Structures are given as C-alpha cells and as structure tokens.
Amino acid sequence: MTLKTDVIIDHELCTGCGACVRDCSKLNLELRDGKAVVLSSCFKCGHCVAICPEGAPSLPCYADVPVEYDPATFDLPTENIINSVKFRRSIRAFKDEPISMEHLRLLIEAGGHMPTAKNTQMNRFDFVQDSLPEFRELIWSWLEDVYETDRIMPIPVDVLSGFIARKRTDPKDDYFFRNAPAVLFIESVDPLDAGLAAASIEMVARSLGIGVLYNGFLQRIVAACPQARAYFDMSDERGLNACMLLGYQARHYVRTAPRRYPSVILR
Ligand SMILES: Cc1cc2nc3c(=O)[nH]c(=O)nc-3n(C[C@H](O)[C@H](O)[C@H](O)COP(=O)(O)O)c2cc1C
C-alpha cells in the first residue's frame, strides 16, 4: 500500500517513458507493465513531479502547487544574474515602514524552495516584526546585564562596551538592530541549509526594494541569550544559523563594489 504522504503515480496519465525512474536518486521507482510504480517510502524530493512530461506523479503531502516551466518567466540572462549578484549590498539604513505580509510571503517562498541536506526541509523562519520592540528590549537588557556583571561575553568586550556607550548617549543609536523594522532568524539542522535559504531570500528581497543585513553579532548574541532561546523555543536539534535585518532600503547604490579576486586553485 502506498502511504498517503508518498509519491502517487496517476496511471491514466503515465505513458511509461521512464523519465521519473531514471531521475529518482533513491531508486524508488520502476517500470512495470509500461507504468511507473513506487517501490517504497522516499525522501520526497519531488524530482518525479518536476520531470514527468505528463504530470502523472504527485506528492499529496505538499500543499505547494508546481509551476509549469515557461522560458519567458523562468530564465534570466547570465549578465543580469551576475550583475544582480554583484550589485547586492549589505543595507544598514532602513525606512520606517513595516514589511508587507505579501512581501513576507514571497521571501518565505524563496527560502522554502532552497535545497536542504537530505531534503529534511527543517528550516524554521522566525520573523520578528510586530514584537520587535519587546524583543529588542529583551536583548539590550540582557546585554547590559552581562556587561555589568562581567560574565562571558558573546562578542568581544571592547566592541560591546562601545555599542552600549553609544546607545546610552542616543537610544536610537542601536548598532545591533540598526532601527530595522524586522529581523528574520533562520534555524536549521545543517548550517548550510540556513545560508542557502538566506541567500535566496536576499535576492528576492532586493527585487522588492527590501534591503538585508546579515548580522553575525546579533546572531551570536541571540544564540547566547537564554531568554531569547526561550522566546524562540530553541530546544530542538536546529541551531540558529542566520540572522537578517530586513527593511525597505533607505539608501541606494549606483554601481557595484570592488572585490578582491577570489582565491582559486585549478588542479
Ligand atoms: C555571515 C555574515 C555576518 C555579518 N555580520 C555583520 C554584522 O554583524 N554587522 C555588520 O554591520 N555587517 C555584517 N555583515 C556584512 C559584511 O560586513 C559585508 O557583507 C561586507 O562588508 C561586504 O559588504 P557588502 O555585503 O555590501 O558587499 C555580515 C556578513 C555576513 C556574510
């Protein structure tokens, strides 16, 4: 019996071409009497759904509806892709305007479609916007407390003391949150899963006028703060592997930034 959550092949549609059988990385499909059949439970990568010319396989466990390939809306010229990659910038100045729910939906869609190791799709996207003022307060009061009581610091003490001093002088001078209207935290099993999701979210964000700042300092602070861990219920095997400030961009660039040529070894 095929489990409800596994691949289902519609034998009315299947022509027995074998495309799904050849592309199944788990060798979980075979042709019998000219029709593809599912052998056992698989890790639901969806390749059979994506490759079948007739649309015979389906994965009822996913609500996501596959989109038919159309070169007009799927393909980008290489020059545009490379320019887009080179033109992305860390954004540190944001408009005082919340991220719309429609834009958030697109960002999460972009993150959710990136690959994950073993196709676990276990990334959790913690989007903090409405409750950001309280969350910011929670983090800053913990930092002040850690600093005053001289405990182990999540970031270098001279860095922390400088930013605490600045914030005490001007409460709006917040180096860690930079007055961004939202922060996205990505918790993942494999650190690369979160990194890949973050990169695609950043590219889609840019197309919507939303700037991103990967914030390594804030990530380390939140990961070390027990109250923040409780706030996010970080009790399972996922680690906090990406922290992104998000907001509509208040500053714009007119060219790409120069870069060192990457170290490349040809063997
Ligand atoms: C993992 C990661 C962590 C980062 N953490 C911070 C940070 O804590 N604060 C900050 O201002 N920028 C941070 N950045 C941004 C880098 O400083 C920035 O990418 C680099 O200076 C190049 O500028 P660009 O992103 O505009 O090309 C981080 C970037 C990455 C990839």
Side-chain angles (χ1 to χ4, degrees):
M1 193 186 79
T2 308
L3 294 171
K4 189 177 176 296
T5 50
D6 275 333
V7 174
I8 287 175
I9 311 278
D10 183 338
H11 283 172
E12 296 283 313
L13 298 175
C14 178
T15 61
C17 74
C20 61
V21 175
R22 288 188 292 277
D23 203 50
C24 179
S25 68
K26 292 290 180 196
L27 310 175
N28 192 38
L29 297 166
E30 69 177 35
L31 287 179
R32 282 188 202 156
D33 302 326
K35 302 284 179 190
V37 292
V38 181
L39 299 179
S40 134
S41 194
C42 68
F43 76 160
K44 305 171 191 69
C45 68
H47 274 225
C48 51
V49 175
I51 206 165
C52 176
E54 309 303 328
S58 59
L59 271 161
C61 59
Y62 299 136
D64 185 37
V65 180
V67 184
E68 295 299 310
Y69 169 66
D70 174 359
T73 52
F74 278 54
D75 295 346
L76 288 170
T78 304
E79 186 184 6
N80 292 40
I81 298 175
I82 194 92
N83 279 336
S84 190
V85 167
K86 287 160 77 168
F87 197 49
R88 62 142 296 286
R89 289 278 70 76
S90 293
I91 302 304
R92 299 183 176 89
F94 305 98
K95 292 183 187 166
D96 185 15
E97 182 186 335
I99 306 285
S100 75
M101 283 302 113
E102 175 54 16
H103 286 174
L104 174 63
R105 194 188 59 73
L106 291 168
L107 301 185
I108 300 301
E109 193 175 333
H113 270 268
M114 288 307 274
T116 51
K118 299 189 202 139
N119 196 35
T120 58
Q121 301 182 58
M122 285 278 287
N123 287 351
R124 185 165 58 207
F125 299 93
D126 258 310
F127 180 71
V128 186
Q129 179 161 268
D130 291 349
S131 55
L132 188 56
E134 299 97 85
F135 183 72
R136 202 188 291 130
E137 185 51 40
L138 180 154
I139 293 297
W140 270 107
S141 56
W142 181 74
L143 282 175
E144 295 260 5
D145 189 39
V146 165
Y147 182 62
E148 295 299 341
T149 52
D150 211 18
R151 276 181 274 156
I152 296 170
M153 308 280 166
I155 61 172
V157 66
D158 53 326
V159 175
L160 182 59
S161 67
F163 296 129
I164 285 182
R166 278 169 55 170
K167 185 141 189 310
R168 281 176 183 167
T169 312
D170 172 7
K172 282 198 84 68
D173 189 354
D174 181 340
Y175 184 83
F176 298 119
F177 290 90
R178 293 181 180 272
N179 300 308
V183 190
L184 179 64
F185 296 95
I186 309 178
E187 294 131 58
S188 64
V189 179
D190 186 313
L192 185 55
D193 292 350
L196 291 168
S200 86
I201 287 172
E202 183 184 25
M203 295 311 278
V204 172
R206 258 205 49 223
S207 76
L208 300 167
I210 297 170
V212 167
L213 179 70
Y214 295 114
N215 198 322
F217 273 154
L218 185 59
Q219 184 179 320
R220 276 155 63 185
I221 291 165
V222 169
C225 170
Q227 293 89 328
R229 296 188 68 80
Y231 185 91
F232 288 125
D233 187 23
M234 284 183 199
S235 53
D236 59 21
E237 77 268 42
R238 286 175 277 214
L240 176 57
N241 290 316
C243 166
M244 310 162 80
L245 303 189
L246 295 172
Y248 293 99
Q249 235 171 287
R251 248 179 242 152
H252 295 275
Y253 298 88
V254 293
R255 61 186 62 81
T256 67
R259 278 288 191 274
R260 174 194 298 164
Y261 196 79
S263 164
V264 180
I265 300 165
L266 299 178
R267 297 181 199 275

